[in-house]
Amino acid sequence: MSRDGVPLSTAGAGSVDIPDFAYGLRFLGHTDQGGRGDGVQVMVHDGHAYVGHMFSGGVTILDVRHPRHPHAVGFLPAAPGTWNLHLQVADGLLLVIDAVDLFAAPAFADEASYYGRPVGEVLGENPPAEYSAGMRVYDLADPAAPRQVGSLSVDGFGLHRIWYVGGRWAYASALLHGFSDYVLVTIDMADPARPRLAGSSWLPGMDLARGERPTWPREHRYGLHHAIVAGDVAYGCWRDGGLTVHDVSDPTRPELLVHRNWCPPFGGGTHTALPLPGRDLLVVADEGIADDCADQVKYTWVFDVRVPANPVSISTFPTPAEIDYCAKDAHFGPHNLHENRPGSFVSERLVFATYQNAGVRVFDLDDPFRPREVAAFVPPPPRRMFDTRPGRPRVIQSCDVFVDADGVLYVTDYNAGLYVLQYEGS
């Protein structure tokens, strides 16, 4: 239904159901991604979308040149026991992470174990028998048929998420042997056929192999989700460990400028930090990681970063409240933000965000002290479950959003395939 209660047309969608709630975003198309409806990160390049999977073991290639009729044209299978859930596209290259498939590991059968314990510690006690750890590099001369041209292997359990917008340097979260959880690494891409680790940084207490020990509560998980770089500054999110700001003018030696954490009293799960460098602002999303808001209602924060070493929180985004989303089941709250990548939709006023069981939202930061929601789209329940974990509810979990230069949104879900939407605002 629209904000005014009027049913929305799904023209161009075939048999896709009416959304639960929508305004300001027009439905264009939908695909089950070739029968692999689970999706995590999505990137769009040269009329094609690349979707990393949580449960289907690989990367799906979609032809999206006609957004009303997206369809699968290829698939890159993962190695046995391996996750390929995150990826990056830049400079005609596709970078795909290799990591232990954590949700296939018995130690993480209970979702709370994944979010509530140091992953390196758990895997050290129960190492998987077979997996690949590192990154694969593909050439996209033919965007429908990526050709592998290089790879990186790491001594550990793999990478989680990468930031790469072209050029020599990539930035990633990596779970290396001897560390409690994911840390920041820099990757030299001077030779895409032979990427190499060049630098690293972590929070004191994470390097167990060198005798460091955590000073935070055992039930809190301090591990880097990923960092986004603007100029010579990297902004990192450390789940229950909060936010870091690094000087990366020398990528081989990332220098920690400041560490801020608001957990406790807030519930942690810090996930994505989006810099708006032209306005000296930083948008930081805390991920909702438990069903029914058991980990508190999470927020998306706005920081003033005119002084990078002293980020100051000045506001939060309004929380979706058309219904009681904490009572809807599954996860509610922020997850991913569209990251203003070069060549995509770049705005320092509009922020596109996924809110899991509350779909995708668009916020206007014209006044950064009073952010306001200007569009929303909450898809209907998934028709089929791809999540292999027992007992997961059949509830939408909008995961990632990529917005192209024309304001077309590509939205993934753990079960419901890819939604293609058009932003109708200015």
Side-chain angles (χ1 to χ4, degrees), residues 126-176:
N126 306 275
E130 190 175 14
Y131 63 93
S132 180
M135 179 183 79
R136 285 177 286 142
V137 182
Y138 293 85
D139 178 89
L140 292 178
D142 180 351
R147 177 177 61 89
Q148 185 169 346
V149 294
S151 65
L152 166 72
S153 295
V154 300
D155 182 21
F157 298 108
L159 305 186
H160 188 67
R161 186 153 166 157
I162 313 168
W163 173 256
Y164 180 64
V165 292
R168 181 171 178 180
W169 298 103
Y171 304 80
S173 47
L175 184 51
L176 307 176

Side-chain angles (χ1 to χ4, degrees), residues 10-19 27 29-31 68-69 380-381 383 419:
T10 57
S15 60
V16 173
D17 297 328
I18 297 294
F27 179 89
H30 175 268
T31 174
R68 292 185 179 276
H69 303 285
R383 292 186 170 186
Y419 278 85

Side-chain angles (χ1 to χ4, degrees), residues 401-426:
V401 55
F402 181 100
V403 189
D404 73 15
D406 296 321
V408 176
L409 285 67
Y410 300 83
V411 183
T412 61
D413 185 273
Y414 289 155
N415 296 286
L418 182 82
Y419 278 85
V420 185
L421 312 171
Q422 176 71 59
Y423 177 59
E424 295 192 309
S426 59

